[in-house]
Amino acid sequence: MTKKQARKNQSSKRKPSSPLRMLLIPIIILAIYYALNYDDPPFNLSSNGKDEIPSEYIPIYKAAEAEYGVPWYLLAAHHRVETKFSTMKSLVSPAGAEGHMQFMPCTFVGWSHPSCSGLGKGDIPSEEKTDPAVIEKYGGYGVDANGDGKADPFQIEDAIFSAANYLAHNGAAEGNLEQAVFAYNHSEQYVEDVLYYADRFVEESEESKPM
């Protein structure tokens, strides 16, 4: 049936849209926004980056960069260091960090949550952990990037956008990468590891090289 015929047949039942397709709409919109409003950065994907970064994640990193100003390759580096691009057997650490980008629940939901103290595992009810209204109330960094009404650290778009949100608030959007990475995990070795991969994943373009 052609599209014209389908419009005429208004009484017929329409097949519901795929839930996955609906979830991807906000990411596609952000990717288009990025393409239309940002010039190509002075760093290109390196051969190492092409070999190591799963290609399906790159549009998400770049859409998050467009939204928060955090370099996409820094997000890729965090993803590599935290969960080896989500290939770890468990996305919950022994300390209680959760999801693709390993957020402590209190950082994701907000440290002003009454159960938050210590390292930040907290005792947050599961329904509150992904509720954008609760996250806004307690000042967390969790983001509902795919528009499904939940900010879920186990959902890849939400996790990456949440990481970008956190890094931006800690200086990455202004170029203070070391400061932002250290805020993410208070370890000099962690900072060294993340920046190593960030450098490894990109190469300087010919236009940006000094004469």
Side-chain angles (χ1 to χ4, degrees):
M1 180 183 292
T2 66
K3 290 183 179 178
K4 187 175 182 180
Q5 291 171 326
R7 284 195 297 268
K8 289 181 178 179
N9 189 16
Q10 294 179 359
S11 62
S12 63
K13 293 183 179 179
R14 297 190 180 191
K15 185 178 179 180
S17 298
S18 165
L20 179 59
R21 183 179 298 176
M22 295 299 294
L23 293 181
L24 288 176
I25 288 174
I27 300 303
I28 293 169
I29 291 172
L30 284 172
I32 294 171
Y33 174 85
Y34 178 89
L36 292 176
N37 292 279
Y38 285 77
D39 293 329
D40 288 336
F43 295 100
N44 297 320
L45 185 64
S46 68
S47 58
N48 287 321
K50 291 176 183 177
D51 290 340
E52 296 176 30
I53 303 173
S55 60
E56 65 267 27
Y57 295 140
I58 293 176
I60 305 173
Y61 302 143
K62 289 191 173 183
E65 178 184 43
E67 181 71 14
Y68 293 100
V70 176
W72 70 265
Y73 49 86
L74 185 67
L75 296 169
H78 275 280
H79 196 185
R80 167 61 180 81
V81 171
E82 290 293 354
T83 59
K84 295 182 180 178
F85 297 116
S86 304
T87 61
M88 303 285 283
K89 278 189 175 182
S90 173
L91 294 181
V92 179
S93 77
E98 298 178 344
H100 298 277
M101 301 296 273
Q102 292 291 280
F103 271 93
M104 293 303 292
C106 290
T107 303
F108 197 83
V109 175
W111 277 87
S112 62
H113 190 279
S115 75
C116 286
S117 62
L119 295 177
K121 187 174 182 180
D123 186 20
I124 304 170
S126 58
E127 65 273 12
E128 292 187 3
K129 280 185 177 182
T130 59
D131 187 336
V134 171
I135 292 170
E136 182 178 4
K137 176 181 178 180
Y138 293 117
Y141 293 93
V143 173
D144 173 17
N146 61 19
D148 67 351
K150 293 182 179 181
D152 187 349
F154 293 97
Q155 210 291 328
I156 188 64
E157 289 90 353
D158 293 359
I160 290 172
F161 272 62
S162 298
N165 185 24
Y166 183 85
L167 290 166
H169 275 84
N170 284 280
E174 288 76 43
N176 300 318
L177 302 189
E178 290 189 25
Q179 171 187 305
V181 176
F182 187 79
Y184 205 99
N185 185 320
H186 300 317
S187 162
E188 294 294 344
Q189 184 61 55
Y190 181 83
V191 173
E192 184 177 326
D193 291 345
V194 169
L195 295 183
Y196 164 78
Y197 283 108
D199 288 340
R200 179 179 174 83
F201 291 157
V202 291
E203 59 188 10
E204 198 171 359
S205 69
E206 290 298 324
E207 289 105 2
S208 64
K209 292 179 181 178
M211 298 296 289

